[in-house]
C-alpha cells in the first residue's frame, strides 16, 4: 500500500566500523552496555634487554685504555721538567695564590652586601645625582683593602642593589689603587719618596672619577649584561643561607676567570725576553707606553706591584707611576673577570677607555709631582 518497509539495522563487522581496539574494543563496549565490569587490559610484556655485542676491535680499545693514560702522564712529566715550563707554572701559581685571598674577601663582601645591607643604605650614602655619586664612590674605595679581584664582584653586587653603574665603576677602579694597604706598600717600596705615593693616589682617583663620568655620558645599557642572580633579602629566607649562596656563586664564577688571566700573564712573562725591556727604557714617552702595556700583561696584584715597579730602576719615574696606575685597573685577569661578570661587550670597551685615561692621568700627575 505504498508503506515504507523498515530496513533492519546492520551491525558493523569486525573489519569495518569497529570501536578503537578492534574486537577487544567491541567486547568492552558490549560489557559497558550490559553494566558489567570491563576486563583489565592485558599488560604488554617488558622487552628483554639485549646485551650489545662487543666491537670486533675491543682488544685494541682495552690496550689503549691501559697504555694511553700512563703515556700521557709520562710525557707531561718529562715536558714539565723544561725550565720554561717550570717558570710558567711558578708565575701562574704565584699570580693565582697572590690574588686568591683578596678574591675571597671581595666575594665575601659581595655576599654580605647582597644579604645584609638594605637598598635604603645606598640611597642615603650616595647623592641622588649620578654626577655627584661618582666622586663619592671613588673616594669610598679607600674602605676596601683588596685588589682588583675583590672589587669586581663588589661592583656587580652594588649595581644589582640599585647603585648607578657609573658610581659602581668608579668604586671598581679606585678600590684596588687608593686603599690604605696599597698606599702603604707604595711608601715602603719607594722610601723617602712621598711624591710617588701622592702621585699614585691622585692619578688613580682621577682615572676612576673620569671613567665614571665618561660612562654617564657615553655608556649604553646594552653593553652591560650582568650575570643573572638573586639580589637582596627575601622575606622568610635565612640571611646566612643567602650569604652562603651569593658567596659560592661569585667565588666559583670569578675564580675561573682569575685562573685564565693568570695563565695568560704567565705565558707573556715566559715568552718575552728581558732584552726587550732595555730597548724601551731609553725613550721617555715610549717607556710610559711600554710599562703601561706590561702592567696589563703581567697582571700583578695591586698590593705587590709597587715592589716590582721599584725594581725597574732603568725606567723613568713617570713610566713606573703609569705601571702602578694602570695595573690595578686594566690587566688580563681583571679583563677576564669583567667579561665574566658584566659581559664581553662591556669589558672590551671599558678596559680600552680606562687604559687611555689611566696613561693620560699618570703622565699628567707624574709630570707635575715627580
Amino acid at each position: 500500500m505504498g508503506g515504507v518497509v523498515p530496513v533492519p539495522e546492520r551491525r558493523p563487522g569486525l573489519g569495518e566500523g569497529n570501536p578503537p581496539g578492534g574486537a577487544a574494543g567491541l567486547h568492552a563496549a558490549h560489557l559497558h552496555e550490559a553494566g558489567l565490569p570491563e576486563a583489565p587490559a592485558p599488560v604488554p610484556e617488558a622487552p628483554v634487554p639485549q646485551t650489545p655485542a662487543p666491537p670486533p676491535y675491543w682488544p685494541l680499545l682495552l690496550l689503549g685504555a691501559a697504555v694511553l693514560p700512563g703515556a700521557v702522564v709520562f710525557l707531561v712529566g718529562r715536558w714539565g721538567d723544561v725550565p720554561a715550563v717550570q717558570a710558567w707554572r711558578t708565575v701562574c701559581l704565584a699570580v693565582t695564590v697572590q690574588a686568591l685571598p683578596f678574591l675571597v674577601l671581595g666575594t665575601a663582601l659581595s655576599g654580605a652586601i647582597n644579604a645584609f645591607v638594605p637598598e635604603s643604605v645606598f640611597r642615603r650614602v650616595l647623592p641622588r645625582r649620578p654626577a655627584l655619586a661618582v666622586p663619592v664612590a671613588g673616594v669610598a674605595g679607600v674602605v676596601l683593602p683588596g685588589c682588583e679581584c675583590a672589587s669586581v664582584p663588589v661592583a656587580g653586587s652594588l649595581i644589582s642593589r640599585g647603585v648607578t653603574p657609573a658610581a659602581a665603576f668608579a668604586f671598581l677602579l679606585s678600590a684596588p689603587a687608593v686603599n690604605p694597604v696599597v698606599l702603604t706598600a707604595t711608601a715602603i717600596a719607594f722610601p723617602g719618596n712621598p711624591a710617588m705615593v701622592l702621585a699614585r693616589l691622585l692619578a688613580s682617583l682621577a682615572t676612576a672619577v673620569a671613567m665614571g663620568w665618561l660612562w654617564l655620558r657615553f655608556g649604553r645599557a646594552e653593553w652591560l649584561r650582568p650575570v643573572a642572580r638573586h639580589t637582596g633579602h627575601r622575606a622568610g629566607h635565612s640571611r646566612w643561607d643567602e650569604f652562603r649562596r651569593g658567596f659560592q656563586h661569585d667565588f666559583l664564577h670569578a675564580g675561573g676567570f682569575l685562573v685564565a688571566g693568570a695563565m695568560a700573564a704567565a705565558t707573556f712573562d715566559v715568552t718575552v725576553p728581558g732584552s726587550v725591556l732595555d730597548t724601551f727604557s731609553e725613550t721617555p714617552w715610549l717607556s710610559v707606553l711600554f710599562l703601561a702595556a706590561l702592567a696589563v700583561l703581567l697582571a700583578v696584584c695591586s698590593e705587590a706591584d709597587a715592589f716590582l715597579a721599584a725594581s725597574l730602576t732603568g725606567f723613568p719615574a713617570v713610566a713606573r707611576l703609569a705601571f702602578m696606575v694602570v695595573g690595578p685597573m686594566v690587566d688580563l685577569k681583571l679583563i677576564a673577570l669583567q667579561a665574566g661578570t658584566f659581559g664581553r661587550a662591556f669589558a672590551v670597551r671599558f678596559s680600552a677607555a680606562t687604559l687611555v685615561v689611566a696613561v693620560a692621568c699618570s703622565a699628567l700627575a707624574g709630570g707635575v709631582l715627580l
Side-chain angles (χ1 to χ4, degrees), residues 60-77:
L60 295 178
L61 294 178
L62 182 60
L63 181 63
V67 175
L68 186 59
V72 171
V73 171
F74 174 77
L75 293 177
V76 170

Side-chain angles (χ1 to χ4, degrees), residues 15 36 78 80 109 111 135 139 191 204 207 221 230 237 252 266 290 313 354 358:
L36 298 178
R78 292 290 301 272
L109 183 59
V139 175
S204 301
T207 302
H230 164 67
H237 292 75
L252 294 179
F290 178 76
T313 55
T354 303

Side-chain angles (χ1 to χ4, degrees), residues 203 207 211 321-322 325-327 329-330 353-363:
T207 302
M211 285 304 302
L321 173 63
V325 173
V326 171
M329 298 184 178
V330 188
T354 303
L355 177 61
V356 174
V357 175
V359 171
C361 292
S362 300

Side-chain angles (χ1 to χ4, degrees), residues 57-283:
Y57 46 85
W58 68 268
L60 295 178
L61 294 178
L62 182 60
L63 181 63
V67 175
L68 186 59
V72 171
V73 171
F74 174 77
L75 293 177
V76 170
R78 292 290 301 272
W79 182 63
D81 293 335
V82 178
V85 177
Q86 293 179 348
W88 183 92
R89 187 169 59 236
T90 301
V91 173
C92 181
L93 184 62
V95 172
T96 303
V97 173
Q98 186 182 51
L100 191 60
F102 300 102
L103 179 63
V104 174
L105 173 65
T107 51
L109 183 59
S110 173
I113 292 174
N114 181 70
F116 299 104
V117 181
E119 295 184 17
S120 58
V121 173
F122 303 109
R123 290 194 295 267
R124 290 196 302 265
V125 172
L126 294 176
R128 294 185 178 181
R129 296 183 59 183
L132 297 179
V134 168
V136 173
V139 175
V142 299
V143 302
L144 179 62
C147 69
E148 57 271 24
C149 303
S151 62
V152 173
V154 173
S157 181
L158 291 176
I159 294 175
S160 65
R161 301 307 307 279
V163 175
T164 177
F169 296 150
F171 177 84
L172 182 151
L173 296 177
S174 67
V178 301
N179 67 75
V181 176
V182 171
L183 297 180
T184 303
T186 305
I188 296 175
F190 293 89
N193 192 3
M196 181 64 78
V197 181
L198 180 61
R200 181 174 191 177
L201 171 63
L202 295 180
S204 301
L205 189 58
T207 302
V209 175
M211 285 304 302
W213 284 336
L214 286 175
W215 178 264
L216 283 178
R217 178 63 180 85
F218 301 104
R220 298 181 182 179
E222 57 266 24
W223 295 347
L224 186 61
R225 300 183 183 275
V227 178
R229 56 168 289 183
H230 164 67
T231 58
H233 172 63
R234 292 178 293 180
H237 292 75
S238 170
R239 292 184 182 271
W240 286 106
D241 184 64
E242 290 177 341
F243 166 76
R244 179 185 60 81
R245 292 177 181 273
F247 170 78
Q248 179 180 358
H249 175 276
D250 289 343
F251 179 77
L252 294 179
H253 185 77
F257 291 96
L258 169 63
V259 173
M263 294 173 65
T267 302
F268 173 83
D269 185 79
V270 171
T271 55
V272 175
S275 59
V276 176
L277 301 178
D278 301 331
T279 304
F280 288 94
S281 61
E282 299 176 355
T283 306

Side-chain angles (χ1 to χ4, degrees), residues 5 48 129 153 296 356:
V5 179
V48 179
R129 296 183 59 183
V296 175
V356 174

